[in-house]
C-alpha cells in the first residue's frame, strides 16, 4: 500500500459547491465526538434534530407564538458529516398555508481542515403548524412581514 493513498471519490463528491444566495443562513454548528456513530460519522438523528431547529427559525417570525413540526416531507443525506465539520444550515420558505408553513433546508459542510470549500451534505423539507395555547392549529399571516 502506498504512503499516499489516492483520495476516495465518495469523500470528495460534491466538494467546493457554492453556498446558496437565495436562502437565509439560520444556524452554524460543529458536531463533536459525542455525536458520532460506531463508524465515526455523525448520527443521522443528530443531523435531523439540527435541521428541525434550523427549519423552525424562519417560520417563527410569521407564527409569533407556539408551533410544532408536523411533517418531514423529504430528508436526503447526501454525504456523511464528520467530527469537526462546520455545518451551515440555510432555510427558505416554500409554502404558507392557512395554519402551516413549509420550509426547505439545505446543509453544507466546510470540511475539517479546509477553508471555504463546501460540500452539500443534507437537504430536507419540513412543515410546521402554528398552534394556540390549547395545542390546536391557528391561522398564520399570509403575507411577508
Amino acid at each position: 500500500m502506498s504512503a499516499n493513498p489516492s483520495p476516495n471519490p465518495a469523500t470528495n463528491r460534491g466538494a467546493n459547491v457554492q453556498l446558496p444566495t437565495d436562502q437565509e443562513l439560520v444556524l452554524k454548528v460543529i458536531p463533536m465526538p459525542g455525536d458520532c456513530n460506531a463508524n465515526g460519522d455523525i448520527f443521522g438523528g443528530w443531523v435531523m434534530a439540527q435541521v428541525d431547529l434550523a427549519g423552525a427559525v424562519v417560520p417563527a417570525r410569521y407564527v409569533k407564538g407556539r408551533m410544532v413540526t408536523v411533517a418531514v416531507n423529504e430528508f436526503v443525506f447526501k454525504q456523511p458529516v464528520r467530527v469537526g465539520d462546520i455545518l451551515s444550515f440555510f432555510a427558505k420558505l416554500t409554502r404558507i398555508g392557512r395554519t402551516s408553513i413549509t420550509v426547505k433546508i439545505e446543509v453544507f459542510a466546510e470540511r475539517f481542515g479546509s477553508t471555504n470549500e463546501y460540500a452539500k451534505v443534507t437537504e430536507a423539507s419540513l412543515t410546521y403548524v402554528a398552534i394556540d395555547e390549547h395545542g390546536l392549529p391557528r391561522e398564520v399571516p399570509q403575507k411577508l412581514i
Side-chain angles (χ1 to χ4, degrees), residues 90-132:
F90 289 84
K92 179 180 182 178
L93 288 180
T94 58
R95 181 183 170 280
I96 299 176
R98 189 176 66 78
T99 62
S100 66
I101 297 178
T102 301
V103 182
K104 176 183 178 180
I105 303 99
E106 293 183 315
V107 185
F108 296 84
E110 184 175 357
R111 297 298 189 186
F112 182 75
S114 70
T115 303
N116 295 322
E117 289 186 17
Y118 298 91
K120 186 175 186 180
V121 294
T122 303
E123 62 186 17
S125 171
L126 281 74
T127 300
Y128 302 86
V129 167
I131 58 172
D132 64 17

Side-chain angles (χ1 to χ4, degrees), residues 10-20 27 29 31 41-44 46-48 50-51 75-90 105-112 117-124:
T11 303
N12 295 322
R13 187 180 67 227
N16 207 19
V17 298
Q18 297 295 314
L19 295 178
L27 179 67
V29 65
D41 297 321
I42 301 304
F43 284 115
W46 182 89
V47 174
M48 291 180 86
Q50 304 308 305
V51 165
F75 210 104
V76 179
F77 295 102
K78 295 184 162 292
Q79 293 188 42
V81 175
R82 298 179 190 87
V83 170
D85 287 349
I86 301 170
L87 299 182
S88 298
F89 295 73
F90 289 84
I105 303 99
E106 293 183 315
V107 185
F108 296 84
E110 184 175 357
R111 297 298 189 186
F112 182 75
E117 289 186 17
Y118 298 91
K120 186 175 186 180
V121 294
T122 303
E123 62 186 17

Side-chain angles (χ1 to χ4, degrees), residues 48-66:
M48 291 180 86
Q50 304 308 305
V51 165
D52 193 17
L53 290 170
V57 170
V58 177
R61 294 187 185 124
Y62 294 88
V63 172
K64 296 186 180 189
R66 292 180 61 198

